[in-house]
Structure formats: structure tokens, C-alpha cells
């Protein structure tokens, strides 16, 4: 809710509602926003430099895995702009706060860089699935076909597994290289009771998943399969071998889950504790837009069309997949909206005495301005028609409330919040 200026007990017929200036911040996706594969998206580096120069707090939030330092170095090199490691949040970064599991024996599926990151958080008893497969080759016989043998001299990530100690949890922190073998090892872990060490007919070990994206934007002209696709595989295999109609029980991290945005907000407030409006920029309707839209009013979803979502798919979006605003690129969003010179526009609402419909319209307008993230760029002017010249007053008398933007009429009379939002968005926000 907003704190409006204090008014007299008997307010004058004309008054201005002034919204407080909000401290803006940004949560920025990486793939499809700043880069595609190993190629810079034009203007993205300059956009990031502008955010920094304007003092707008930001973090990068990706569903990728690996160490934050390595991701920051990689992105910095591609876009030609320094990205500090402490401003990068990958899918599993919130594990830093998961103290209750750090002493447990955890199976980690994903790339070696992802495992290195998990270990750096303090999970000393974690075991990389690749190490497990080399140590116990009979668990994954298909991996060792065609003359392949376990490599005792490989670059082992963690200490050797212990065959007598079942796993207490499974973390899937990235897309594994060998899906078939990973399916086998993960399924074994989920169906082995940590207490009795016996095979169970159903899941006994918790599963943590850190990337729900089905697709991502890379070098290929069409989107490629991501971690969410691997979950669909393992869930189908689990239901088939247990003859169950029930899906795996899974704790999900990464976008679009609110836990990821709540963590990102805590990180942003380390830069500025007064943050009150966060623009979440991404290219994916299912993860970026949905995640921002369902994580709280402080988050505003911004879709850019430089990644997996094109204009056609954007127009077909419904419900929680509808972005608050859409731009071609991160550069256009920063230049044309977030860092645009703050020249305020004015919405005038023409009202009359004893008009409940007018009060209802003003209340709806305030909510719509907030929802669209326009509180810092729009002023609301309440104008009583009794204070107008007779000709203009008569023009509005049978139509109040009448809404205008910088003198141009938007709508009038009984207007639903949805219609009011549509008219204002069309007038103020880019298509």
C-alpha cells in the first residue's frame, strides 16, 4: 500500500495524489537476455553498465548451474562488462542457507562445476554421481559398453563413496551428460531406505531439483532441451518401475519458484535495504514471467523477445504467463523505461460530488498504476467538474468519472479494473 500526501479534513475540489518515489532494482536472466550460447546479444553490456552507473541494484538470476565465479567470468568475457560473482545467482545458490543437510550424505547429479559449487557451500559428505559410477561400475552396466572402463585416474570431484552408507538426499543441479546412467543411479538412491538400507517399493529419499526449464536459448536457431526435460524422464521412469500413478515428491528451486525470488530479493537488499520495486527481466514465459508474477507484488515481470519467446507466443500468453511489459531486448528496456529520464506524465480523473462510482474508479486506478509498475512515473490528478468552466463541466457531467492521460481521454464511466489496466497499458507501456 502507498502512503499518500496528508489531506485537509475538507479537501479542495482539485487535488493531486503524489506517489512516493520507489527504489527500483532488477533481477536479470542471462541466457536469452545477455547472451545466446557464447554470443553477446547486442547492447546488453552497455545496458548493464547503465544500470550500474545509475545506481540501480541488480543481480543475475539463472537456472544454470556451476560456480558463481565461473559463470560471472564467462558472462563478463562475452558481454564486455564486468559481472561480479557476488551478483550472480545460479539455480543452487540458495543451498548456502540449507544448514540442516550439510552434514548428510548427498548424491549430486550434474556437471563437475555444479558439484564444486555445492561442495564450496559446506556439503562435505556430498558424492558426485560420476564418482559413484566409476567406483561401482556394476550399478550402471550400459555405461561401460564398447570397451569403456572406469578411469581410476580421472579428475574425481569428491571423496570416494562408501557402499554401506545410503544417501539421505538427491540434488540434481544441472543437466547431466549421460542421462541413461544418471536415471539408474538416481532411481537407486531414491528407492533405498537410509535407515534399513533395503530396497523400497516407493520413494524414501527426498529429491531436490534446481532447474525446471524445459527449454533454453543457445546457439541453435531453435530452443534446446534443459533440466526440466530430464525431470520429465526420471519422473516417468519412477512411475513405470514402481507401478505408481503418483509423481515423485520433489523440492523445487530455480525459476519460477518463489523461493528463488525471495533469495534474490535478500541479495538485492544487501545493496540497498530500501528496495520496493523489482523488475524481473527474462526471455521465458514459463520460468521468468511466471516466476515474477507469482512471487509477490514487489516483482514486475518484463519479457524480452531476444530468447526463446517470440512476439506470437507472447500475444497468446494467458493468466500468470502474461508479462507486465514487453521489450525487444534488455537494452531497449533499460534505455526506454528503467533508466529513462524521469519526466512524469499525469492522469487526470474528472469527478463530481457524491459520486461513489468516482471513488471506485480512483481506487481501481491506484491499484492499476501499482500493478503496472508506473508509480514513479505517473501522477494522479483528481479534478472536480464543479471547478471547471461551465462548457467543459457540462461535457463531463453525465460521463464521470472521466480518465485522461496528459489531456487525452482514455475512458469514462463505469470501467472495470481490467479494462482500465488495458487502456493505460496501451497508452503508456510499449507493445
Amino acid at each position: 500500500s502507498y502512503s499518500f500526501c496528508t489531506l485537509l479534513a475538507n479537501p479542495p475540489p482539485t487535488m493531486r495524489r503524489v506517489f512516493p518515489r520507489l527504489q527500483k532494482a532488477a533481477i536479470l536472466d542471462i541466457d536469452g537476455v545477455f547472451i545466446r550460447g557464447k554470443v553477446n546479444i547486442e547492447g546488453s553490456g552497455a545496458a548493464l553498465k547503465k544500470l550500474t552507473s545509475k545506481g540501480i541494484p541488480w543481480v543475475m538470476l539463472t537456472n544454470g548451474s556451476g560456480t558463481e565465479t565461473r559463470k560471472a567470468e564467462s558472462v563478463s568475457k562475452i558481454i564486455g562488462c564486468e559481472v561480479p560473482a557476488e551478483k550472480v545467482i545460479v539455480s543452487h545458490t540458495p543451498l548456502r542457507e540449507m544448514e540442516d543437510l550439510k552434514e548428510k550424505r548427498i548424491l549430486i547429479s550434474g556437471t563437475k562445476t555444479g558439484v564444486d559449487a555445492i561442495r564450496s557451500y559446506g556439503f562435505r559428505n556430498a558424492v558426485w554421481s560420476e564418482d559413484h559410477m566409476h567406483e561401482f561400475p556394476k550399478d550402471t552396466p550400459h555405461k561401460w559398453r564398447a570397451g569403456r572402463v572406469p578411469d581410476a585416474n580421472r579428475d574425481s570431484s569428491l571423496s570416494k563413496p562408501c557402499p554401506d552408507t545410503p544417501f539421505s538426499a538427491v540434488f540434481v543441479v544441472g543437466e547431466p551428460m549421460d542421462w541413461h546412467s544418471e536415471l539408474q543411479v538416481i532411481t537407486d538412491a531414491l528407492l533405498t531406505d537410509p535407515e534399513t538400507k533395503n530396497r523400497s517399493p516407493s520413494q524414501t529419499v527426498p529429491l531436490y531439483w534446481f532447474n525446471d526449464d524445459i527449454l533454453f536459448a543457445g546457439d541453435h536457431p531453435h530452443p534446446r532441451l534443459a533440466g526440466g526435460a530430464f525431470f520429465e524422464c526420471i519422473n516417468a521412469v519412477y512411475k513405470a518401475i514402481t507401478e505408481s500413478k503418483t509423481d515423485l515428491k520433489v523440492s523445487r528451486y530455480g525459476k519460477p519458484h518463489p523461493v528463488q525470488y525471495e533469495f534474490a530479493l535478500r541479495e538485492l537488499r544487501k545493496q540497498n535495504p530500501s528496495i520496493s520495486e523489482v523488475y524481473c527481466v527474462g526471455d521465458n514465459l514459463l520460468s521468468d514471467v511466471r516466476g515474477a508474477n507469482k512471487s509477490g507484488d514487489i516483482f514486475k515481470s518484463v519479457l524480452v523477445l531476444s530468447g526463446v519467446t517470440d512476439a506470437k507466443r507472447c500475444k497468446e500468453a494467458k493468466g500468470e504467463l502474461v508479462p507486465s511489459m514487453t521489450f525487444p531486448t534488455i537494452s531497449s528496456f533499460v534505455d526506454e523505461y528503467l533508466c529513462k529520464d524521469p519526466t512524469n506524465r499525469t492522469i487526470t480523473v474528472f469527478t463530481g460530488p457524491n459520486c461513489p462510482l468516482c471513488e471506485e474508479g480512483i481506487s481501481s486506478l491506484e491499484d492499476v498504476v501499482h500493478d503496472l509498475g508506473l508509480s514513479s512515473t505517473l501522477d494522479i490528478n483528481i479534478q472536480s467538474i464543479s471547478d471547471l468552466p461551465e462548457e467543459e463541466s457540462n461535457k463531463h457531467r453525465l460521463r464521470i468519472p472521466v480518465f485522461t492521460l496528459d489531456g487525452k481521454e482514455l475512458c469514462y464511466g463505469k470501467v472495470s479494473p481490467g479494462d482500465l489496466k488495458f487502456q493505460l497499458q496501451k497508452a503508456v507501456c510499449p507493445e
Side-chain angles (χ1 to χ4, degrees), residues 402-423:
V402 179
F403 301 84
T404 67
L405 176 65
D406 296 335
K408 183 177 180 180
E409 187 172 303
L410 293 175
C411 50
Y412 65 89
K414 185 173 179 59
V415 183
S416 71
D419 289 338
L420 186 57
K421 183 175 183 178
F422 173 78
Q423 294 296 338

Side-chain angles (χ1 to χ4, degrees), residues 5 20 57 314:
C5 60
C314 178

